[in-house]
Amino acid sequence: MENSIIIDLAFDGGSYGENIKLLEDEEYKKNDKIIREICEKLLKDLPEEENKKISWDLFLALGGIESAIQELYFKEGFKLGLKIGAQNFLD
């Protein structure tokens, strides 16, 4: 039988975070690309109105990245919780 997940987390210094493949997530990549493009545009001299629009687009894209990150961490946390629960019922 495997070691206790709780023991592994507490004493082995291991992390289940390595299971999160953030840079492989399509939603993350899409929003990261948007942010990079917007930042490049912000480096140029733009009229105030266009600058406001680009700033708003950047804000929305950052929200998209944050949403993707939260979803990935939730999924991994949920799987870990299920493993802990299953292991406790099997012992």
Side-chain angles (χ1 to χ4, degrees):
M1 183 184 220
E2 284 184 30
N3 288 340
S4 166
I5 293 171
I6 295 172
I7 299 293
D8 285 348
L9 286 172
F11 298 108
D12 291 342
S15 169
Y16 287 84
E18 64 267 6
N19 296 333
I20 298 171
K21 308 291 189 232
L22 187 60
L23 297 178
E24 296 173 15
D25 182 70
E26 291 303 316
E27 187 69 18
Y28 179 88
K29 288 192 288 190
K30 179 186 98 178
N31 285 291
D32 184 60
K33 182 178 181 223
I34 291 169
I35 289 170
R36 289 176 188 276
E37 291 170 354
I38 291 171
C39 286
E40 286 177 15
K41 290 178 184 177
L42 287 174
L43 295 174
K44 297 178 182 178
D45 291 329
L46 298 174
E48 185 178 343
E49 196 59 40
E50 190 172 357
N51 201 324
K52 285 181 183 178
K53 182 194 179 312
I54 289 173
S55 296
W56 181 248
D57 290 344
L58 176 61
F59 174 78
L60 293 176
L62 287 170
I65 276 188
E66 186 173 334
S67 176
I69 290 170
Q70 289 173 353
E71 182 179 342
L72 291 170
Y73 273 87
F74 175 81
K75 287 176 183 177
E76 284 304 313
F78 188 79
K79 287 189 255 182
L80 179 59
L82 286 175
K83 287 178 184 177
I84 291 170
Q87 190 172 56
N88 284 327
F89 284 113
L90 292 175
D91 288 345

